[in-house]
Amino acid sequence: MAWTTLFRATRAFAALAVGLAAVGVDAFDNSRYDNVAIYWGQDSYGATHTDVANYQKRLSFYCQDDAIDVIPIAFINKFYGTGNAPVLDLGNTCNTSIDSTFSGTGLLDCSFLADDIQTCQSKGKVLTISLGGGGASVGFQSDSQAEAFADTIWNDFLGGSSSTRPFGSAVLDGVDLDIEQGGSTGYAAFVTRLRSYFNGASKKYYITGAPQCVYPDASLGSVINAVAFDAIYVQFYNNPCGLQVFNSASGFNFGIWDIWARTISPNPDVKVYVGAPASTTAAGSGYQDPATLANILTTTRNRFPSFGGVMMWDASQAYQNNRYDLAAKNALVAAGGTGFTFPACSAQAYVKGNNYPGSSQVSYNGYIWEAKWYASSTPTNDPNGDWMPISACAGNAPSSTSTAPGTGPTSGSCSGVAAWSSSSVYTGGQQVTYNGHLWTAKWWTQGDLPGSSVGVWTDDGACSSSKREEAPAAVRPRTPSRFFRL
C-alpha cells in the first residue's frame, strides 16, 4: 500500500538523523524519579484504529525530545523458531510481509533500524530488546537452555558478534522481560549469564522486567527475587490492582512492591515504575486521564523511595493521545527528579491485639498502613492480608489513644450498603449486608455466602438500616496485558 512505499522511502534518510544529535546530551540515570519508559514496536494504535496515517512511526520519530528516557523494543515473541533462532515481530515497521529473514531462520533482518537506534542512543536514551508479550511462545526447559539463549541474545542484539544481527551494527542497551506465561524455569540463569557478559563491558547494560501488579507475579515473581534487576515496570492495568483502584487500599498495591524493592530484591536500588496504558484503547482497564495520572504519579513518587517513573504501553498510543507521555513527563519533572524525603509516620502506632475497622491507618515498621477491612492481624506485606502499605514513613509515630484492645466486630449502621446478592461480583473492600450484619469482601468473590466456610467475607458486626443501594461495579479479573498486531 502507499504507506508502506512511503515508509520504505524514508529509510534511506535515517543516517542523517545521527549527525543532528545534540552535543553534551545527559546520559540516562536510572536512579532518578522522573524517568519515562515507553514500549515501541507493536503499533498498538494501528491494532485498534483504521487511520493509517497515524499508525506507528519509525523508531527515531519518538526520540526527538526529552519526554522518553527508555524504549523497550517489542517483541521477541518466540524463543525458538525456524533454524532454532528467535522470532522478532515489530508490527508495521519490520515484519515478514515486507522484510527478509536471515537464511535458514525466521529471524527478521531489520538492519535499516540501526541508524534509528544509534540516533536515539546519541540523545541519551536507553533502548532494550523486550522478550515475551501477551500471547508469546516463550520459556525454557532448563537452566542450560536458558544460558544458551542468553548467549544468542548477547551475540545477536547486544555486545557480542553474529552473522544474524537484526539491527546490524547497533548495540542495544539491555534486555526487558515481559514474561506473561510459560513459567519461570531458567530465567534466573538467563539473567545471570547476561550479567556475566555485562561485567567488564565497555558500556552499561540494563535488565528490566514487566510483572503484573498482582503480587507475587505468576511468571516473574521467583525470578526477580533471585537475581538483580535494574528496574521493573509493574503493569497496573488489565488487573484488579490497577490504576482504576488507586484510592482503594484493597486495590492499588504499589506499597507491596516498594517493600519488595527495599527488603527482598537482590538489588536494593532497583526502581519500580508505575505501568499505565497510554490511551483508552491501549488496554482493557486502568487508563486514567492525564490530570489523574499526574496526581497518581506525583503522590506515589512522594510516598515511596523505590519509585522510578512511569512505563507506558505504547508509543503509538501515547503520541496520538495528545502526547500522553509528555504530560506525564512534565508532571514527574515538576515533582522533582532527584532526592526523597520520607513522610512522617503521622498515623498512630500499631498496637498488637487491637481490632481496627476498615480504612483505619496505623504506623508500623517504617510504613503507614491502611486496613482493607476489619483488621486484627499485624501489618505485613502479605497481599491477601488485612493491611496495605500506603506510604513509607520515618520518625516516631503518635501513641495509640485506644484504652483497650477491641474484642471483635461491633454493632453500628449499614445505611446505604446493598444486600448481598449471589449473582453479583464483589472485589476486596466492597461491603454488603446479610442476616443483619455488615460484611467486607477480602478479595474477588461471586456466590460465596457471607459467614460460610469459604472465608472470603469479614464480619464487621451487627448493623441496622432500612436503606439499600446498588453495590459499586466490580473490577473484572486480569486479562493478558499486551497483544500483537498481526
Side-chain angles (χ1 to χ4, degrees):
M1 59 184 175
W3 182 89
T4 301
T5 302
L6 177 62
F7 177 79
R8 285 191 171 282
T10 62
R11 290 180 175 176
F13 298 96
L16 295 177
V18 177
L20 299 177
V23 177
V25 173
D26 290 337
F28 172 71
D29 182 355
N30 191 57
S31 69
R32 295 184 64 88
Y33 294 81
D34 58 358
N35 284 321
V36 174
I38 191 162
Y39 283 81
W40 173 91
Q42 285 304 298
D43 187 23
S44 174
Y45 184 87
T48 53
H49 296 77
T50 58
D51 47 329
V52 177
N54 291 320
Y55 282 10
Q56 174 178 272
K57 305 298 190 295
R58 62 181 302 139
L59 185 56
S60 57
F61 177 81
Y62 301 99
C63 298
Q64 298 178 25
D65 59 30
D66 296 330
I68 300 171
D69 302 285
V70 184
I71 303 177
I73 297 175
F75 290 110
I76 290 178
N77 61 0
K78 190 174 184 179
F79 287 178
Y80 303 102
T82 303
N84 218 31
V87 175
L88 180 66
D89 182 307
L90 299 181
N92 64 335
T93 302
C94 188
N95 60 67
T96 54
S97 297
I98 60 175
D99 294 282
S100 62
T101 58
F102 292 103
S103 178
T105 78
L107 182 59
L108 284 164
D109 181 356
C110 308
S111 54
F112 65 89
L113 285 173
D115 292 325
D116 288 62
I117 292 169
Q118 292 163 352
T119 294
C120 294
Q121 290 173 327
S122 72
K123 296 183 178 182
K125 304 183 188 302
V126 163
L127 282 76
T128 62
I129 185 68
S130 185
L131 280 55
S137 177
V138 298
F140 304 113
Q141 298 299 313
S142 66
D143 285 356
S144 60
Q145 185 185 40
E147 289 168 348
F149 191 70
D151 296 340
T152 296
I153 296 300
W154 172 256
N155 289 323
D156 285 355
F157 295 92
L158 305 176
S161 60
S162 167
S163 60
T164 56
R165 290 182 63 87
F167 302 132
S169 60
V171 178
L172 294 180
D173 301 299
V175 173
D176 173 68
L177 295 179
D178 182 9
I179 309 303
E180 304 192 17
Q181 56 201 6
S184 58
T185 299
Y187 285 104
F190 172 81
V191 171
T192 300
R193 183 62 158 248
L194 285 177
R195 291 282 187 197
S196 72
Y197 286 117
F198 297 173
N199 293 334
S202 59
K203 63 177 288 183
K204 172 71 175 176
Y205 290 96
Y206 298 89
I207 297 289
T208 62
Q212 308 294 318
C213 61
V214 177
Y215 182 92
D217 181 77
S219 297
L220 286 176
S222 63
V223 182
I224 61 177
N225 289 353
V227 290
F229 279 65
D230 296 290
I232 58 169
Y233 310 138
V234 182
Q235 297 183 44
F236 286 102
Y237 50 93
N238 289 342
N239 280 297
C241 43
L243 298 177
Q244 74 277 2
V245 290
F246 174 73
N247 290 316
S248 170
S250 60
F252 188 71
N253 64 347
F254 192 98
I256 295 288
W257 287 100
D258 186 73
I259 292 176
W260 167 83
R262 298 172 63 197
T263 66
I264 300 174
S265 167
N267 174 17
D269 298 319
V270 63
K271 283 295 186 177
V272 181
Y273 287 53
V274 170
S279 78
T280 56
T281 57
S285 66
Y287 175 74
Q288 305 295 302
D289 64 72
T292 301
L293 180 66
N295 176 65
I296 290 173
L297 296 177
T298 300
T299 300
T300 308
R301 181 260 184 268
N302 290 331
R303 289 181 176 178
F304 299 105
S306 69
F307 179 86
V310 64
M311 172 275 283
M312 291 183 180
W313 178 262
D314 69 347
S316 65
Q317 295 273 14
Y319 265 62
Q320 292 308 312
N321 189 15
N322 298 315
R323 289 302 305 275
Y324 192 68
D325 58 309
L326 184 59
K329 181 68 169 183
N330 288 338
L332 289 170
V333 170
T338 60
F340 183 83
T341 301
F342 279 88
C345 292
S346 55
Q348 291 183 346
Y350 167 77
V351 177
K352 185 175 179 61
N354 272 11
N355 295 310
Y356 296 89
S359 300
S360 298
Q361 293 186 4
V362 298
S363 297
Y364 180 75
N365 207 22
Y367 284 89
I368 296 174
W369 305 75
E370 183 171 325
K372 302 175 187 177
W373 41 74
Y374 171 83
S376 59
S377 62
T378 301
T380 70
N381 67 331
D382 177 4
N384 296 318
D386 295 340
W387 299 90
M388 181 68 74
I390 61 171
S391 178
C393 68
N396 295 325
S399 299
S400 173
T401 58
S402 299
T403 57
T407 58
T410 58
S411 62
S413 171
C414 50
S415 175
V417 181
W420 176 79
S421 169
S422 61
S423 62
S424 295
V425 172
Y426 302 98
T427 56
Q430 287 189 295
Q431 293 184 316
V432 298
T433 58
Y434 181 75
N435 273 356
H437 279 230
L438 179 67
W439 302 82
T440 302
K442 296 180 180 178
W443 46 75
W444 189 97
T445 178
Q446 182 179 28
D448 297 316
L449 190 70
S452 69
S453 60
V454 177
V456 69
W457 294 97
T458 295
D459 185 358
D460 293 326
C463 65
S464 61
S465 172
S466 59
K467 180 181 180 182
R468 292 180 176 180
E469 298 178 356
E470 186 68 25
V475 180
R476 68 182 186 179
R478 68 176 260 197
T479 55
S481 295
R482 311 190 198 279
F483 299 90
F484 297 107
R485 170 156 168 75
L486 302 176

